[in-house]
Amino acid sequence: MLQAEIVVQTAILDKIPLVSDLFSYLLFATPLVIDNTSFAAESLEAKERAEIILQNLIIQVANAVVQPLLNQFAELEIIKQSYYDRRLISTREIERFRNNLSWKYRARTYFEEPRQVFESRYELLLLAPRGIAKVSIYAPRDRELTQLSGIPLIVTLALELRDAIAPRLQAVVSFVGKGVIFVLTQVVGKTIGLIGRGVLQGLGGSWQESKNKRL
């Protein structure tokens, strides 16, 4: 179990947000800052935010407990019977679950977390009637943004580049689209109309000529 201590600490426990704010609120009734506004400890807004932070803390600690169990004792029957859902008892299902979970952690580390830092928000987990749900809350994260490096930093730069290019590209596409619509409706439409009119006039002339012959 101790072999997983550093991994669990750095990958899960150290990343649980707003823990110090929560304990300060619970122990000393300090106000909670919500969307840059300070709310007194007894206010409804502070109580609801504290509940959200607490639920996320509980779920993340539970993740920290399960992670070494999956990595170190996945095949022990006593662990399977005590902690795993029956659908995950087989070796194949356990390995599939571990691989999916591993990929999800990597995606969160390299893509989701940098995006949340760049967007100044946290994504917290909640206990909901349908299971575990997510909620996004605003929080200044400028200090974390300046500390990003490697792939997470590249992700934020890509997001910034996309934000800079997307409106211009959308404007160009919209302009070209309007031009195409104009050409189709005005030029092509009129051309088709003239051709159709000529065909109708030709048919009308032929019909009149055949009528005269019968007379």
PDB file of all heavy atoms in Angstrom, residues 11-23:
ATOM      1  N   ALA A  11      -1.550  12.732  -7.360  1.00  0.00           N
ATOM      2  CA  ALA A  11      -2.560  12.628  -8.417  1.00  0.00           C
ATOM      3  C   ALA A  11      -3.967  12.937  -7.943  1.00  0.00           C
ATOM      4  O   ALA A  11      -4.807  13.380  -8.739  1.00  0.00           O
ATOM      5  CB  ALA A  11      -2.521  11.233  -9.048  1.00  0.00           C
ATOM      6  N   ILE A  12      -4.247  12.714  -6.652  1.00  0.00           N
ATOM      7  CA  ILE A  12      -5.624  12.869  -6.162  1.00  0.00           C
ATOM      8  C   ILE A  12      -5.717  13.858  -5.007  1.00  0.00           C
ATOM      9  O   ILE A  12      -6.381  14.895  -5.108  1.00  0.00           O
ATOM     10  CB  ILE A  12      -6.210  11.502  -5.750  1.00  0.00           C
ATOM     11  CG1 ILE A  12      -6.202  10.535  -6.934  1.00  0.00           C
ATOM     12  CG2 ILE A  12      -7.641  11.672  -5.237  1.00  0.00           C
ATOM     13  CD1 ILE A  12      -6.713   9.149  -6.613  1.00  0.00           C
ATOM     14  N   LEU A  13      -5.047  13.553  -3.907  1.00  0.00           N
ATOM     15  CA  LEU A  13      -5.258  14.326  -2.680  1.00  0.00           C
ATOM     16  C   LEU A  13      -4.810  15.778  -2.817  1.00  0.00           C
ATOM     17  O   LEU A  13      -5.517  16.697  -2.378  1.00  0.00           O
ATOM     18  CB  LEU A  13      -4.531  13.654  -1.516  1.00  0.00           C
ATOM     19  CG  LEU A  13      -5.026  12.249  -1.142  1.00  0.00           C
ATOM     20  CD1 LEU A  13      -4.218  11.684   0.008  1.00  0.00           C
ATOM     21  CD2 LEU A  13      -6.511  12.268  -0.805  1.00  0.00           C
ATOM     22  N   ASP A  14      -3.643  16.005  -3.416  1.00  0.00           N
ATOM     23  CA  ASP A  14      -3.145  17.381  -3.538  1.00  0.00           C
ATOM     24  C   ASP A  14      -3.999  18.234  -4.465  1.00  0.00           C
ATOM     25  O   ASP A  14      -3.922  19.468  -4.416  1.00  0.00           O
ATOM     26  CB  ASP A  14      -1.699  17.369  -4.046  1.00  0.00           C
ATOM     27  CG  ASP A  14      -0.721  16.901  -2.976  1.00  0.00           C
ATOM     28  OD1 ASP A  14      -1.117  16.850  -1.794  1.00  0.00           O
ATOM     29  OD2 ASP A  14       0.428  16.572  -3.334  1.00  0.00           O
ATOM     30  N   LYS A  15      -4.790  17.598  -5.310  1.00  0.00           N
ATOM     31  CA  LYS A  15      -5.586  18.339  -6.289  1.00  0.00           C
ATOM     32  C   LYS A  15      -7.015  18.601  -5.824  1.00  0.00           C
ATOM     33  O   LYS A  15      -7.792  19.190  -6.574  1.00  0.00           O
ATOM     34  CB  LYS A  15      -5.603  17.577  -7.615  1.00  0.00           C
ATOM     35  CG  LYS A  15      -4.228  17.493  -8.274  1.00  0.00           C
ATOM     36  CD  LYS A  15      -4.297  16.797  -9.617  1.00  0.00           C
ATOM     37  CE  LYS A  15      -2.925  16.750 -10.274  1.00  0.00           C
ATOM     38  NZ  LYS A  15      -2.967  16.088 -11.601  1.00  0.00           N
ATOM     39  N   ILE A  16      -7.354  18.172  -4.627  1.00  0.00           N
ATOM     40  CA  ILE A  16      -8.706  18.456  -4.115  1.00  0.00           C
ATOM     41  C   ILE A  16      -8.796  19.940  -3.791  1.00  0.00           C
ATOM     42  O   ILE A  16      -8.048  20.443  -2.945  1.00  0.00           O
ATOM     43  CB  ILE A  16      -9.016  17.614  -2.871  1.00  0.00           C
ATOM     44  CG1 ILE A  16      -8.853  16.121  -3.180  1.00  0.00           C
ATOM     45  CG2 ILE A  16     -10.430  17.894  -2.377  1.00  0.00           C
ATOM     46  CD1 ILE A  16      -9.057  15.218  -1.976  1.00  0.00           C
ATOM     47  N   PRO A  17      -9.696  20.675  -4.410  1.00  0.00           N
ATOM     48  CA  PRO A  17      -9.709  22.138  -4.248  1.00  0.00           C
ATOM     49  C   PRO A  17     -10.497  22.607  -3.022  1.00  0.00           C
ATOM     50  O   PRO A  17     -11.400  21.920  -2.533  1.00  0.00           O
ATOM     51  CB  PRO A  17     -10.401  22.604  -5.533  1.00  0.00           C
ATOM     52  CG  PRO A  17     -11.340  21.492  -5.860  1.00  0.00           C
ATOM     53  CD  PRO A  17     -10.656  20.221  -5.425  1.00  0.00           C
ATOM     54  N   LEU A  18     -10.116  23.784  -2.544  1.00  0.00           N
ATOM     55  CA  LEU A  18     -10.867  24.543  -1.534  1.00  0.00           C
ATOM     56  C   LEU A  18     -10.988  23.815  -0.196  1.00  0.00           C
ATOM     57  O   LEU A  18     -11.909  24.092   0.577  1.00  0.00           O
ATOM     58  CB  LEU A  18     -12.270  24.876  -2.076  1.00  0.00           C
ATOM     59  CG  LEU A  18     -12.293  25.587  -3.441  1.00  0.00           C
ATOM     60  CD1 LEU A  18     -13.728  25.719  -3.938  1.00  0.00           C
ATOM     61  CD2 LEU A  18     -11.624  26.929  -3.356  1.00  0.00           C
ATOM     62  N   VAL A  19     -10.061  22.914   0.104  1.00  0.00           N
ATOM     63  CA  VAL A  19     -10.129  22.178   1.368  1.00  0.00           C
ATOM     64  C   VAL A  19      -9.863  23.107   2.546  1.00  0.00           C
ATOM     65  O   VAL A  19     -10.567  23.065   3.564  1.00  0.00           O
ATOM     66  CB  VAL A  19      -9.124  21.007   1.367  1.00  0.00           C
ATOM     67  CG1 VAL A  19      -9.118  20.310   2.725  1.00  0.00           C
ATOM     68  CG2 VAL A  19      -9.481  20.010   0.276  1.00  0.00           C
ATOM     69  N   SER A  20      -8.853  23.962   2.426  1.00  0.00           N
ATOM     70  CA  SER A  20      -8.545  24.878   3.530  1.00  0.00           C
ATOM     71  C   SER A  20      -9.696  25.851   3.762  1.00  0.00           C
ATOM     72  O   SER A  20     -10.010  26.188   4.920  1.00  0.00           O
ATOM     73  CB  SER A  20      -7.255  25.651   3.225  1.00  0.00           C
ATOM     74  OG  SER A  20      -7.376  26.378   2.019  1.00  0.00           O
ATOM     75  N   ASP A  21     -10.333  26.298   2.690  1.00  0.00           N
ATOM     76  CA  ASP A  21     -11.491  27.190   2.841  1.00  0.00           C
ATOM     77  C   ASP A  21     -12.630  26.477   3.572  1.00  0.00           C
ATOM     78  O   ASP A  21     -13.313  27.083   4.404  1.00  0.00           O
ATOM     79  CB  ASP A  21     -11.980  27.650   1.472  1.00  0.00           C
ATOM     80  CG  ASP A  21     -10.982  28.553   0.774  1.00  0.00           C
ATOM     81  OD1 ASP A  21     -10.020  28.995   1.433  1.00  0.00           O
ATOM     82  OD2 ASP A  21     -11.149  28.802  -0.431  1.00  0.00           O
ATOM     83  N   LEU A  22     -12.818  25.202   3.249  1.00  0.00           N
ATOM     84  CA  LEU A  22     -13.888  24.437   3.886  1.00  0.00           C
ATOM     85  C   LEU A  22     -13.644  24.282   5.380  1.00  0.00           C
ATOM     86  O   LEU A  22     -14.553  24.532   6.189  1.00  0.00           O
ATOM     87  CB  LEU A  22     -14.004  23.059   3.223  1.00  0.00           C
ATOM     88  CG  LEU A  22     -14.984  22.082   3.870  1.00  0.00           C
ATOM     89  CD1 LEU A  22     -16.410  22.608   3.768  1.00  0.00           C
ATOM     90  CD2 LEU A  22     -14.874  20.695   3.240  1.00  0.00           C
ATOM     91  N   PHE A  23     -12.432  23.864   5.772  1.00  0.00           N
ATOM     92  CA  PHE A  23     -12.155  23.659   7.193  1.00  0.00           C
ATOM     93  C   PHE A  23     -12.134  24.974   7.966  1.00  0.00           C
ATOM     94  O   PHE A  23     -12.529  25.023   9.135  1.00  0.00           O
ATOM     95  CB  PHE A  23     -10.834  22.905   7.370  1.00  0.00           C
ATOM     96  CG  PHE A  23     -10.959  21.431   7.118  1.00  0.00           C
ATOM     97  CD1 PHE A  23     -10.500  20.867   5.942  1.00  0.00           C
ATOM     98  CD2 PHE A  23     -11.555  20.605   8.064  1.00  0.00           C
ATOM     99  CE1 PHE A  23     -10.629  19.507   5.709  1.00  0.00           C
ATOM    100  CE2 PHE A  23     -11.687  19.243   7.831  1.00  0.00           C
ATOM    101  CZ  PHE A  23     -11.223  18.692   6.650  1.00  0.00           C
TER     102      PHE A  23
END
